[in-house]
Amino acid sequence: EPEVTQTPSHQVTQMGQEVILRCVPISNHLYFYWYRQILGQKVEFLVSFYNNEISEKSEIFDDQFSVERPDGSNFTLKIRSTKLEDSAMYFCASGLIRETSYGYTFGSGTRLTVV
Amino acid sequence: TQLLEQSPQFLSIQEGENLTVYCNSSSVFSSLQWYRQEPGEGPVLLVTVVTGGEVKKLKRLTFQFGDARKDSSLHITAAQPGDTGLYLCAGDATGGFKTIFGAGTRLFVKA
């Protein structure tokens, strides 16, 4: 069964450093998403991406965050200058169409720890 | 701001019992999804409901979408220890490009 692949599975970084989280969505999917989940809290929407541009972003997704689909297969989330409160699980998801009967497929996540 | 409220937050039952988990909102959603999440993993889609009043069954799990598309329920019949996990409802905001998640119901089924 097709899956969304995320790397790395764990990342530890120092406060103020830049991190890039990588995702390989399902190959024929057109809609891409990043979500985060702080330990013990709900899954929160960060950003959606379609047709090589951001479709929607949340208030969490400020100027420190950016997304890119550099080569037609990878989908990356960059945090320019990490803060302690950026520590969370970051999930990538992809979907075939926006309003879908199939929901979205999530990756297994990257656990980011900012120290 | 659209919110999804799930209840109960935590449920501990004996194997063989039935249970219902609720997902409510004051907003209309174009669809609602139910996911199950294991510790350290991403949510895994169980079902999507799209039409108001729709009922879908997945083995011992029955999902219902409210007529007004503002709420949904998940009913598990004869729960088994393998059903233990975090159940999340999520909704596609009408006209939007994002999915909003509820806080989840953590289910524990004792053998």
Side-chain angles (χ1 to χ4, degrees):
Chain A
E1 186 163 333
E3 58 181 29
V4 174
T5 305
Q6 288 187 245
T7 54
S9 56
H10 292 89
Q11 173 109 32
V12 180
T13 188
Q14 288 203 324
M15 192 168 54
Q17 294 296 303
E18 174 183 286
V19 294
I20 297 177
L21 309 182
R22 303 182 191 279
C23 169
V24 179
I26 293 173
S27 60
N28 63 336
H29 282 188
L30 302 175
Y31 293 84
F32 312 109
Y33 308 83
W34 282 101
Y35 290 82
R36 80 171 186 190
Q37 187 175 33
I38 295 170
L39 186 63
Q41 298 187 23
K42 67 168 67 175
V43 177
E44 299 175 290
F45 168 80
L46 292 179
V47 66
S48 58
F49 192 86
Y50 169 71
N51 201 24
N52 286 318
E53 61 182 22
I54 290 174
S55 307
E56 193 162 355
K57 59 184 181 180
S58 71
E59 58 276 8
I60 302 168
F61 194 88
D62 61 21
D63 291 345
Q64 293 301 310
F65 291 86
S66 63
V67 289
E68 212 176 29
R69 189 158 158 78
D71 56 12
S73 62
N74 292 285
F75 180 50
T76 62
L77 174 69
K78 181 192 292 186
I79 309 175
R80 287 188 184 81
S81 177
T82 50
K83 302 188 281 283
L84 294 176
E85 54 265 37
D86 292 328
S87 295
M89 282 288 283
Y90 286 81
F91 294 108
C92 172
S94 69
L96 184 56
I97 57 177
R98 178 166 66 90
E99 291 183 347
T100 176
S101 296
Y102 300 101
Y104 309 114
T105 303
F106 281 77
S108 296
T110 293
R111 181 174 297 284
L112 176 65
T113 303
V114 182
V115 296
Chain B
T1 302
Q2 294 180 301
L3 290 173
L4 283 169
E5 302 286 342
Q6 283 190 248
S7 61
Q9 291 182 308
F10 182 80
L11 192 56
S12 179
I13 61 172
Q14 288 292 137
E15 180 177 5
E17 292 183 2
N18 301 332
L19 66 117
T20 302
V21 174
Y22 299 94
C23 176
N24 295 293
S25 176
S26 57
S27 305
V28 175
F29 287 86
S30 57
S31 67
L32 278 179
Q33 294 97 42
W34 285 92
Y35 290 86
R36 180 173 161 176
Q37 186 180 23
E38 302 296 338
E41 297 291 325
V44 175
L45 180 69
L46 296 174
V47 78
T48 299
V49 285
V50 179
T51 306
E54 182 176 6
V55 176
K56 282 190 174 178
K57 293 197 174 191
L58 189 66
K59 297 183 181 176
R60 292 177 294 101
L61 278 58
T62 302
F63 305 86
Q64 185 161 8
F65 200 12
D67 291 340
R69 292 186 293 133
K70 293 183 179 180
D71 55 85
S72 181
S73 63
L74 158 61
H75 181 79
I76 301 179
T77 304
Q80 298 175 2
D83 295 328
T84 294
L86 180 66
Y87 290 84
L88 302 168
C89 72
D92 279 345
T94 305
F97 281 84
K98 66 181 182 183
T99 296
I100 299 164
F101 280 81
T105 293
R106 188 164 297 282
L107 172 65
F108 182 65
V109 183
K110 293 175 281 190

